[in-house]
Amino acid sequence: MRKVTKYQEQLSQVNSLDSFAFSHSDKDRRIISCLQCFRPQEMLPNHLSRVCMKDQTNEERNAEVDRAKKSMKAWTLRGRTWDYNVMVKRYPDEASRRALLEDLRERHFLILNDPMEAQAESNHSENSAAVKTHNKKTAQPALQDCQRVLRVSQADMLDIHGKLLDQQHVEEDQRTLFRYFCEAILVLRYFQRPDAVRAFKASDWLNKRSVDGQIHIKVQSAKHTATFSLTEEDSDILDAYFQKIRPGCLQDSAEDQGRFFLSKQGLPVINVTSDLRRLHEQYDLPSFSSQQVKRAQSTMPCSSSDEPSDERRVRKQKRGRGAADQYDRDFGAFLLKFPVTTSSSPPTKKKRTAAGFPSDKVFYNRWRSLQFAKREEYLSSQCSRRPPTVSKVSLLIEKEGWTGNCPRPEDIVAKWRPITEVQVESDPWIITAIQKQKWTGLALKDFGSKGQGVVATKAFAMGSIVCDYHGKAAGRDLCVDAETFPCECHPTENTMGRMINHSSKRANLRSVHCMMNFPEGKRDVILFRAKRDINLCEELLFDYTTSSANLFEGKH
Ligand SMILES: C[S@@+](CC[C@H](N)C(=O)[O-])C[C@H]1O[C@@H](n2cnc3c(N)ncnc32)[C@H](O)[C@@H]1O
């Protein structure tokens, strides 16, 4: 039972008034709350005559409508404003008060003496006196103003983040909003230019390096080179987009160009500035140009793209203090603190409470169910084309050392389904993908000593066609000319299939020969097919030595 329950009734009344204040259509402007039943009504006179005052006279009802209108006006003028100092006196229990404050903020109430704002102000004021004078002259917003949207939307975004990690359904518009938020993080907190954010590629993300708790990213394209270092917290947010939202945008028919930020149609995001404006609009905040942000950054003596800003520190402090008392969205923060992996142990009560989370088992249980799902996914992915046996799954579990919180081998066996063979030779999408070399869900990653390799940026089901080994396939042995590189038909491209590394033990692809029906006639092609389910971020590998076709007429 949450501590805030006692306020919920109060808030629901407040909430009903909120719809009046924030509605923009003419129809909604007429909404007035009935003071008899405390419910908002589109047509109060009708409602009174039919429901709440059906036995009274017309005059009495008209007087009641006037009273309700006055009450609504008074509420609009004064009732939306809450004074934190008064709240402190009325609600001495800090946990409940903070939960109430969160709710009020979410519902766009105006909070006087808001401690969060005050703290941000005081942190900011140390070094901003000179800046303020300058800003007054030029109407240049302070950095804190430019970054406000990150703070205001944070609770919503943590909520979405938690749902994404929790495998819960997230509405399309919320997914898009989350993408805007990720773009905003890069522009507003790490001061990246919108065109650099647009040029940001999935492979840049895969090649990120973690050093001393900072995640270093290098964005490299023909026009842009940018480097920045994310905090782990921000990196987790972007990773949730990369792993949970982006794969759903990838479409075989759309040319994503390997970009990191994609529209829901799977196309590269064109205008990052517009996305930021939409995020600001969502929170009724004025937006700022990236030049204003840059200027605001340069006038902050202590700000740096590598360090959290003052505002960010406040945000962190706030989360640390209030986390134990907040709603479900804090599960997102819980997961950031205690990431779920197949091998990690659930946080003990001591650790949970030390980190400011509730001591009860609610988050603990949700954490365990997430781990259960991950373990189930892992076990299923380890099963080959043939149905697994109970003993094979038991061995896998034993090898991982899992003594509890994992599926029964019998359940993994029961869930296994054969993948039906796909008739690929006339598949128009595969034909186009070969011709244009536009395979989706693949990105290059640097693997150090073995050079570059190819990584899956979406999950591939067992049996699916991943890409082709591009080149001239000819002759009885189906040799592909591996020396002519780049190939004649794509002289400027580094075709993906040729970048796949070798593994005899961990191969997840097998090569298959197909006679593809191209418009100009049939042609031999070597395709790579997933040997098993391939997870997002997994390196694609095939066994160079047991390939069904001899790919090595020329040496690599
Ligand atoms: C088809 S290319 C793969 C792309 C290559 N890694 C690159 O960066 O261009 C094959 C070459 O990659 C390297 N390679 C592939 N698999 C490897 C492995 N498992 N270990 C080390 N090097 C590997 C070898 O140099 C091989 O000749």
Side-chain angles (χ1 to χ4, degrees):
M1 196 69 168
R2 293 182 195 120
K3 286 178 181 172
V4 290
T5 310
K6 62 180 172 176
Y7 299 118
Q8 282 177 345
E9 199 183 330
Q10 193 182 1
L11 280 169
S12 70
Q13 287 178 17
V14 166
N15 220 2
S16 68
L17 297 172
D18 209 27
S19 61
F20 174 84
F22 288 91
S23 299
H24 298 297
S25 74
D26 286 348
K27 193 173 170 234
D28 287 349
R29 274 197 199 115
R30 288 199 303 271
I31 292 175
I32 298 177
S33 287
C34 171
L35 297 180
Q36 305 288 321
C37 64
F38 292 103
R39 291 203 175 90
Q41 302 297 337
E42 278 185 17
M43 298 291 284
L44 183 63
N46 291 0
H47 163 77
L48 291 176
S49 60
R50 284 185 198 144
V51 187
C52 283
M53 291 179 73
K54 60 182 174 196
D55 298 321
Q56 270 94 327
T57 64
N58 264 347
E59 289 79 72
E60 284 168 322
R61 282 195 286 268
N62 289 343
E64 182 64 12
V65 170
D66 278 349
R67 195 168 77 90
K69 278 184 182 166
K70 276 189 194 139
S71 157
M72 191 57 89
K73 194 172 169 189
W75 179 81
T76 309
L77 290 171
R78 293 190 303 275
R80 270 178 65 208
T81 308
W82 285 58
D83 189 331
Y84 184 75
N85 293 338
V86 176
M87 282 169 73
V88 171
K89 282 187 199 145
R90 260 190 221 160
Y91 312 117
D93 171 22
E94 201 201 5
S96 304
R97 190 173 63 245
R98 286 199 174 278
L100 175 62
L101 196 61
E102 276 301 308
D103 264 339
L104 293 172
R105 275 199 204 107
E106 261 182 19
R107 291 168 170 81
H108 307 276
F109 276 74
L110 310 171
I111 315 291
L112 296 175
N113 303 312
D114 187 331
M116 190 174 133
E117 295 281 355
Q119 191 149 9
E121 277 302 324
S122 76
N123 283 342
H124 181 59
S125 64
E126 278 169 29
N127 49 25
S128 64
V131 177
K132 265 184 192 160
T133 326
H134 169 78
N135 291 346
K136 260 188 196 163
K137 280 187 212 150
T138 58
Q140 162 67 38
L143 184 61
Q144 195 195 10
D145 302 324
C146 298
Q147 294 177 329
R148 185 150 187 239
V149 72
L150 297 176
R151 195 179 69 227
V152 173
S153 59
Q154 183 213 358
D156 289 346
M157 297 306 134
L158 278 181
D159 186 28
I160 297 174
H161 183 253
K163 282 185 182 156
L164 289 171
L165 298 188
D166 220 357
Q167 322 276 18
Q168 286 180 37
H169 174 70
V170 177
E171 296 289 342
E172 193 66 57
D173 57 344
Q174 298 291 293
R175 289 169 176 264
T176 307
L177 207 60
F178 194 79
R179 187 192 84 215
Y180 297 163
F181 182 69
C182 293
E183 293 171 39
I185 285 178
L186 297 182
V187 175
L188 304 178
R189 195 172 284 150
Y190 296 93
F191 313 111
Q192 294 306 299
R193 293 202 343 245
D195 47 358
V197 174
R198 192 165 62 98
F200 187 23
K201 291 202 161 189
S203 53
D204 299 327
W205 184 249
L206 288 168
N207 286 303
K208 63 188 181 304
R209 299 262 177 272
S210 176
V211 182
D212 295 336
Q214 293 276 307
I215 317 299
H216 299 290
I217 316 271
K218 192 168 185 183
V219 179
Q220 246 173 334
S221 71
K223 284 191 196 157
H224 308 277
T225 304
T227 49
F228 51 91
S229 305
L230 300 175
T231 61
E232 280 177 1
E233 206 179 20
D234 285 334
S235 169
D236 283 342
I237 295 281
L238 265 78
D239 204 46
Y241 168 77
F242 181 67
Q243 297 218 22
K244 307 287 176 185
I245 295 179
R246 188 180 180 276
C249 301
L250 288 170
Q251 285 174 27
D252 291 339
S253 54
E255 293 193 8
D256 56 73
Q257 297 170 24
R259 298 280 175 80
F260 185 84
F261 290 115
L262 299 178
S263 68
K264 62 178 181 224
Q265 291 82 16
L267 293 167
V269 159
I270 297 172
N271 196 333
V272 171
T273 307
S274 300
D275 287 354
L276 260 64
R277 186 174 30 77
R278 290 188 199 108
L279 180 69
H280 281 89
E281 279 168 9
Q282 186 71 25
Y283 290 94
D284 283 338
L285 292 173
S287 59
F288 304 99
S289 68
S290 55
Q291 285 93 333
Q292 282 176 306
V293 178
K294 270 267 178 211
R295 245 178 273 138
Q297 180 214 4
S298 62
T299 50
M300 286 285 287
C302 296
S303 70
S304 145
S305 60
D306 288 345
E307 279 174 10
S309 67
D310 288 342
E311 187 172 350
R312 184 146 177 71
R313 277 203 294 275
V314 172
R315 202 165 70 89
K316 275 190 156 183
Q317 284 165 5
K318 179 193 153 237
R319 187 185 297 176
R321 279 198 314 269
D325 317 306
Q326 293 181 358
Y327 290 102
D328 284 356
R329 63 170 171 272
D330 277 351
F331 188 54
F334 188 80
L335 292 177
L336 288 177
K337 179 76 190 158
F338 306 111
V340 181
T341 69
T342 52
S343 56
S344 49
S345 305
T348 58
K349 187 174 175 179
K350 199 172 159 195
K351 281 188 183 164
R352 295 196 303 271
T353 45
F357 292 99
S359 57
D360 63 32
K361 284 200 157 184
V362 177
F363 285 180
Y364 172 87
N365 289 338
R366 285 177 74 185
W367 189 101
R368 276 174 56 88
S369 65
L370 268 183
Q371 187 185 58
F372 187 96
K374 270 187 186 283
R375 287 180 168 180
E376 186 175 73
E377 197 182 319
Y378 171 79
L379 291 173
S380 302
S381 75
Q382 295 302 302
C383 300
S384 67
R385 208 177 184 88
R386 279 177 296 170
T389 58
V390 169
S391 59
K392 182 184 169 181
V393 181
S394 305
L395 267 175
L396 279 170
I397 294 173
E398 203 181 305
K399 207 170 120 202
E400 294 300 323
W402 301 337
T403 49
N405 199 36
C406 69
R408 295 180 320 141
E410 294 81 356
D411 294 338
I412 296 292
V413 172
K415 278 189 178 171
W416 189 88
R417 294 281 176 279
I419 307 274
T420 54
E421 277 296 318
V422 187
Q423 188 57 38
V424 295
E425 291 182 340
S426 298
D427 187 302
W429 176 73
I430 295 176
I431 289 171
T432 312
I434 296 169
Q435 288 171 323
K436 293 192 173 174
Q437 283 301 292
K438 299 291 179 213
W439 298 97
T440 54
L442 307 176
L444 290 177
K445 180 176 175 178
D446 191 345
F447 284 94
S449 61
K450 62 179 178 177
Q452 290 197 306
V454 183
V455 168
T457 61
K458 68 173 185 181
F460 288 95
M462 183 167 77
S464 50
I465 299 296
V466 174
C467 65
D468 66 329
Y469 186 93
H470 205 64
K472 240 186 210 165
R476 271 218 324 259
D477 297 334
L478 282 169
C479 293
V480 175
D481 178 1
E483 275 201 328
T484 311
F485 181 76
C487 59
E488 288 165 10
C489 44
H490 298 88
T492 58
E493 278 185 55
N494 214 354
T495 55
M496 282 292 179
R498 285 170 172 260
M499 298 304 289
I500 299 172
N501 285 323
H502 158 81
S503 175
S504 52
K505 290 189 181 136
R506 293 187 302 120
N508 47 20
L509 298 177
R510 67 187 170 88
S511 58
V512 284
H513 161 238
C514 289
M515 189 62 85
M516 298 299 296
N517 290 311
F518 289 100
E520 63 276 12
K522 287 180 185 258
R523 187 149 47 89
D524 294 304
V525 170
I526 307 297
L527 291 174
F528 285 119
R529 196 167 218 159
K531 272 174 85 171
R532 55 168 172 79
D533 287 351
I534 298 173
N535 294 324
L536 193 125
C537 294
E538 227 186 284
E539 186 188 6
L540 299 175
L541 296 162
F542 78 98
D543 187 345
Y544 287 4
T545 58
T546 60
S547 166
S548 73
N550 175 10
L551 302 181
F552 299 98
E553 185 187 45
K555 66 179 186 347
H556 270 274

